[in-house]
Amino acid sequence: MVDFSLTDEQKNLRELAHDFAAREIRPVAWELDRDSTWPQAIIDKAHEVGLMNTHLPEQYGGPGLDYLDGCIIEEELSWGCSGVQTSLGANGLASAPVMLGGSEDVKREFAEELVAEPKLASFCLTEPDAGSDVSGMRTRAVRKGDKYVINGSKCFITNGSYADWFVVYAKTDPEAGHRGISAFLVRRDDTVIVDKKEDKLGQRASNTATITFNETEVDARYLLGEENKGFKLAMMVLDRTRPGVAAMATGIARAAFEFACDYSKERVQFGVPIAMHQAIQFMIADMATKVHLSRLAAWNSAVLLDQGKRNTLESSHAKRFAADSAMEVTTDAVQVYGGYGFIKDYPVEKLMRDAKIMQLYEGTSQIQRLVIARETLLPRRIEEPATATA
Ligand SMILES: Cc1cc2nc3c(=O)[nH]c(=O)nc-3n(C[C@H](O)[C@H](O)[C@H](O)COP(=O)(O)OP(=O)(O)OC[C@H]3O[C@@H](n4cnc5c(N)ncnc54)[C@H](O)[C@@H]3O)c2cc1C
């Protein structure tokens, strides 16, 4: 059955997330952006009302929401401010490899801490010389008895300055390319050093940092999944998180679209509201279509996961389309505002800056196209259970 009508529970969830975004995030979003302020108060409140760690299973005290529920929440919170949502949602990115690859004890220890307090976890894959091509990573993990010792630096790590936990990808077999990567859950200690906080174009309320692991010792029980299977684990994670990024992009685009609609009805040029000019109407129409299709693609890729199906192709379709659409819609929103759109006193230039990251993190739009091309030219059956792309 194809049916995207929401259940009463999902509508309530959307209302909760929307009210939270309207009350707690929107009123301060432009101020947080201007000063690049860390939104700790919002994180504390979001944790309190249950809008964080949404996918942590009920058996560990989490809400156990499904992927479609997650998309509904992420669109609303990103409508409020996608920088804040990136800060709130990064726990989901770090939790996924723990829930997929951790032992029962490790999962429980990690999840129960995140549920009890507004603690943060970061996902540490990218390095200065290893972005789209993670096989070039230099971080090493060397087994010594019942421990691994990790050395290396990760860059662009969301929430890195504030995280209590890190999922760290490191080479355990340096000669084996992407087949020599393993994933570890690392608790912050004084061998984990924050080297640099980035000053960013957009999503300035989120924290992005360079993190160095200096002789960091990790008990072997914190190895996630099998040794040297970390790349496969990372790809499985991204299949699960890209629907949420697509939903975030939808939220940004929707915010820009709504501002543009309102402004086009108020701004008068040539004796009529600019909404009366067909050129503006067509821009608004294209924006509306892109928001609508971005949401459908995000939901479709999430529903496949909820049904236990592999969604690699669909999550790349959704992430690529929604990210590129968010960039187009926010750019058009600036166009609808004319010169005022370029001025910081008006809301849309922030959205255009925020949208840009959607085309970059969790796989650039070019990398999504590589996945789409591979999945299209060498298709695998959609009925297969969810597995990695590697
Ligand atoms: C704000 C922010 C937050 C982030 N958060 C995290 C995080 O929490 N954890 C984490 O691990 N990483 C994070 N990242 C890193 C992000 O995922 C990478 O920046 C991204 O994967 C791209 O890597 P790169 O920047 O090294 O670009 P590169 O890989 O160097 O790419 C440069 C350009 O080349 C293109 N390109 C590369 N290879 C190909 C190819 N084969 N074919 C066609 N085009 C190609 C890319 O699309 C891009 O346009 C974050 C980044 C930012 C900016």
Side-chain angles (χ1 to χ4, degrees), residues 12 64 71 100 128 139 156 196 245 290 294 335 341 355:
N12 290 341
C71 284
L100 284 166
T139 298
F156 301 154
K196 184 183 176 208
V245 180
K290 285 170 188 168
S294 295
Q335 195 67 23

Side-chain angles (χ1 to χ4, degrees), residues 265-288:
K265 292 180 202 162
E266 289 161 13
R267 174 72 175 167
V268 174
Q269 288 293 282
F270 297 96
V272 292
I274 58 170
M276 299 294 283
H277 301 303
Q278 197 181 54
I280 298 288
Q281 288 171 15
F282 280 13
M283 250 193 289
I284 298 281
D286 285 350
M287 293 161 95

Side-chain angles (χ1 to χ4, degrees), residues 86 90 93 122-134 154-160 167 169 198 200 202-203 206-209 357 359-368 370:
T86 288
L93 180 61
S122 287
F123 180 86
C124 307
L125 184 63
T126 305
E127 295 186 8
D129 293 328
S132 301
D133 179 11
V134 296
K154 297 287 176 179
C155 66
F156 301 154
I157 302 307
T158 298
N159 290 354
V167 169
Y169 292 83
E198 304 293 350
K200 304 194 296 293
Q203 291 209 338
S206 71
N207 170 268
T208 313
I357 191 61
Q359 296 178 304
L360 298 171
Y361 65 17
E362 299 207 26
T364 64
S365 289
Q366 287 73 31
I367 295 303
Q368 303 310 324
L370 285 184

Side-chain angles (χ1 to χ4, degrees), residues 18 54 58 70 84-85 108 148 151 184 188 211 241 280 282 295 355 368 387:
H18 185 77
T54 50
E58 285 174 296
V84 171
Q85 165 51 24
R108 184 169 297 282
Y148 286 86
N151 280 289
F184 301 89
R188 182 188 283 273
I211 309 291
T241 55
I280 298 288
F282 280 13
R295 182 181 301 116
Q368 303 310 324
T387 55

Side-chain angles (χ1 to χ4, degrees), residues 311-377:
N311 73 336
T312 304
L313 174 62
E314 290 74 11
S315 68
S316 282
H317 277 319
K319 205 269 182 184
R320 202 290 294 162
F321 182 80
D324 290 353
S325 294
M327 200 64 244
E328 291 159 12
V329 169
T330 54
T331 306
D332 281 351
V334 170
Q335 195 67 23
V336 168
Y337 271 69
Y340 296 98
F342 203 65
I343 305 297
K344 283 188 182 285
D345 292 343
Y346 291 81
V348 285
E349 61 83 36
K350 168 187 183 290
L351 299 173
M352 185 175 157
R353 289 186 284 106
D354 287 350
K356 187 63 205 170
I357 191 61
M358 296 291 130
Q359 296 178 304
L360 298 171
Y361 65 17
E362 299 207 26
T364 64
S365 289
Q366 287 73 31
I367 295 303
Q368 303 310 324
R369 285 180 173 87
L370 285 184
V371 175
I372 293 165
R374 189 190 57 209
E375 292 285 319
T376 304
L377 296 168

